[in-house]
Amino acid sequence: MTNNFTERAGIYVHIPFCKRKCNYCDFKSFPYPERSEEYFNALKKEILNTDAVCKTIDTVYFGGGTPSFVDERYIVDVFNLLRNKFDFDLSEATIEANPESITKSKLLAYKSAGFDRLSIGVQSLSDDVLKFLGRVHDSDMAKSAVKTALEFFDNVSCDIMLVGQSAESVAKDIEYLSASGVKHLSCYMLQIEEGTPFYDRYIKNDIKLPTDDELADLFSFAIAKLKSLGYKRYEVSNFCKRGYEAKHNLGYWVRKPYYGFGLSAHSLIGNERYGNQSAFDEYVSDPLKREFKEVLSESDIELEKIMLALRTSHGVLKEEILNKPDFYDKYKNYFYIKGDRISLNDKGFMIMNKILVDLFQ
Ligand SMILES: C[S@@+](CC[C@H](N)C(=O)[O-])C[C@H]1O[C@@H](n2cnc3c(N)ncnc32)[C@H](O)[C@@H]1O
Ligand code: SF4
């Protein structure tokens, strides 16, 4: 039996509203701010009717969509509801925000409610890149949002995207964010997702995209730049100054239980994983209905633990890999051993999916 309901858990809350959809994004978010009231009523209903089997909550993450797009009273209201429902013993509470909707009054409301970490969707500080991505903000807005955020929060993270811009442009962005005092950066390579404007243009051969090798080179360049400025790579896409690892996300990678509230959110409680409905009308009409539910076997769980742990620089116990000598022989240049742990090195992270497929076949 893997259920251990005395364990601490994390909470993810999905806020599915954005001012408009970016050209590359297939996350569940909609430009329907006028439906906020309806959505938050459904969200509160879901929270109130959830059986709080894992009572103690140590991390909270409000993501999206764009949580900063909606009126802050909705966010504070849900945060307080969670605080009443569960025992909060928080070590981290993060909220995602986009540059164009960051205001001092919102930041003050988040901070007063109990958030202590802000994750900003900067993506780039080049106006050309932001325009290409279809972002609402420009580079000046991003710079001013980072500055304002740092007046309220010590723990600020920024997302940046590699889309084929020049290495100089990436270096300038990273240097700017580092000099501003940003402690954590998430760095993603552009993925072309079905159902997005970029996908349609890609199918019609109507978009100039970098090759996989070009993106990989840019990523290697970004990694070196980040490391030179004192950011440690502690997960495939995540870098931070010492002590600023994202605790909530680390929870996912060590397979800690979590509740996911809101449209399309997933939960992992004991040996059950379930997901909420992802269509807006369906979620608001019945926020307790699940889109899927699976009961995981012991072997599923062991496999997931290894796959998730290999995303991080902490890795797994070295026996997990060394006891597969053929596999280890083939990939030994992609691993790094320290003490009793083994983890992927930067070269290994680059081909992580291939390595994982081989490991479990
Ligand atoms: C879904 S967004 C939510 C946060 C916020 N709305 C924003 O735009 O930054 C989380 C992050 O995922 C990344 N992302 C979303 N779609 C992506 C894609 N197709 N390829 C690479 N990164 C992507 C972006 O960097 C974004 O910051
Ligand atoms: S990337 Fe962020 S802002 Fe853009 S559509 Fe997706 S969730 Fe919304």
Side-chain angles (χ1 to χ4, degrees):
M1 185 74 173
T2 53
N3 291 354
N4 176 1
F5 294 149
T6 59
E7 275 178 284
R8 290 165 161 253
I11 288 180
Y12 173 79
V13 181
H14 192 68
I15 310 297
F17 298 105
C18 288
K19 186 157 186 184
R20 67 162 191 253
K21 286 298 288 185
C22 301
N23 290 332
Y24 55 88
C25 179
D26 75 339
F27 280 66
K28 290 291 168 197
S29 67
F30 310 90
Y32 307 156
E34 67 285 0
R35 298 191 69 180
S36 302
E37 187 79 21
E38 195 185 347
Y39 180 75
F40 282 95
N41 284 338
L43 179 61
K44 287 194 279 186
K45 181 173 171 194
E46 186 197 351
I47 294 169
L48 282 169
N49 286 283
T50 294
D51 193 4
V53 282
C54 295
K55 286 198 167 46
T56 306
I57 300 301
D58 55 10
T59 64
V60 171
Y61 193 105
F62 277 49
T66 309
S68 60
F69 179 49
V70 300
D71 194 306
E72 57 270 37
R73 75 191 152 88
Y74 290 119
I75 302 289
V76 173
D77 203 22
V78 172
F79 196 90
N80 288 337
L81 182 66
L82 292 168
R83 196 191 278 288
N84 289 336
K85 168 104 188 173
F86 296 90
D87 294 333
F88 269 20
D89 182 17
L90 291 183
S91 61
E92 183 188 275
T94 302
I95 182 160
E96 286 178 355
N98 276 5
E100 68 280 1
S101 50
I102 289 180
T103 62
K104 288 192 176 184
S105 60
K106 279 187 178 149
L107 297 181
L108 189 61
Y110 301 156
K111 196 170 173 162
S112 311
F115 288 97
D116 66 351
R117 183 171 182 272
L118 199 77
S119 172
I120 310 178
V122 168
Q123 317 309 343
S124 169
L125 295 172
S126 147
D127 285 336
D128 289 345
V129 175
L130 292 168
K131 214 163 156 199
F132 171 69
L133 293 174
R135 299 290 296 190
V136 175
H137 68 274
D138 62 18
S139 59
D140 285 345
M141 279 185 220
K143 287 178 179 169
S144 131
V146 170
K147 185 169 175 282
T148 311
L150 284 160
E151 288 167 16
F152 287 82
F153 295 95
D154 165 56
N155 197 348
V156 170
S157 174
C158 292
D159 287 359
I160 52 176
M161 265 174 83
L162 305 177
V163 302
Q165 65 269 59
S166 67
E168 293 72 41
S169 171
V170 172
K172 252 174 72 185
D173 292 358
I174 293 174
E175 277 162 10
Y176 181 89
L177 296 172
S178 168
S180 304
V182 169
K183 305 288 197 318
H184 185 284
L185 284 157
S186 302
C187 182
Y188 302 106
M189 288 188 274
L190 174 66
Q191 311 280 334
I192 301 301
E193 306 288 357
E194 229 177 305
T196 62
F198 271 179
Y199 184 81
D200 296 344
R201 288 169 59 190
Y202 166 71
I203 291 296
K204 291 187 205 138
N205 228 340
D206 182 29
I207 185 169
K208 187 179 165 335
L209 292 170
T211 63
D212 288 350
D213 284 348
E214 283 166 347
L215 265 191
D217 285 348
L218 200 54
F219 199 50
S220 299
F221 175 82
I223 294 167
K225 185 82 214 168
L226 285 160
K227 287 187 178 172
S228 75
L229 293 168
Y231 293 90
K232 181 181 88 167
R233 185 185 199 181
Y234 71 99
E235 195 264 352
V236 189
S237 312
N238 286 288
F239 303 81
C240 71
K241 292 285 169 77
R242 187 188 292 270
Y244 283 86
E245 289 85 358
K247 296 189 180 82
H248 182 80
N249 294 344
L250 274 177
Y252 294 141
W253 302 317
V254 299
R255 232 184 152 280
K256 202 177 100 178
Y258 55 88
Y259 291 95
F261 294 115
L263 178 158
S264 78
H266 292 182
S267 302
L268 177 70
I269 302 294
N271 60 355
E272 272 187 9
R273 174 177 291 116
Y274 53 87
N276 291 348
Q277 300 194 94
S278 41
F280 195 93
D281 287 329
E282 286 170 19
Y283 175 76
V284 292
S285 70
D286 186 359
L288 298 170
K289 191 167 165 198
R290 307 299 184 201
E291 200 161 77
F292 75 89
K293 188 170 190 163
E294 55 182 346
V295 177
L296 302 160
S297 67
E298 286 292 341
S299 62
D300 291 339
I301 291 171
E302 282 317 305
L303 205 101
E304 279 190 10
K305 275 188 181 161
I306 295 174
M307 285 180 64
L308 291 167
L310 281 176
R311 296 183 63 92
T312 71
S313 59
H314 189 55
V316 295
L317 280 173
K318 64 184 178 199
E319 290 72 47
E320 302 280 5
I321 303 297
L322 299 187
N323 67 10
K324 298 179 176 67
D326 291 346
F327 169 82
Y328 182 63
D329 259 7
K330 183 167 169 193
Y331 289 112
K332 59 174 174 284
N333 293 332
Y334 296 89
F335 280 99
Y336 168 71
I337 296 182
K338 189 175 177 197
D340 62 349
R341 311 288 301 178
I342 187 166
S343 56
L344 290 169
N345 59 24
D346 286 335
K347 251 172 61 186
F349 280 137
M350 214 46 109
I351 57 158
M352 183 178 75
N353 291 342
K354 177 174 160 38
I355 293 178
L356 291 178
V357 168
D358 253 21
L359 180 62
F360 295 115
Q361 78 180 357

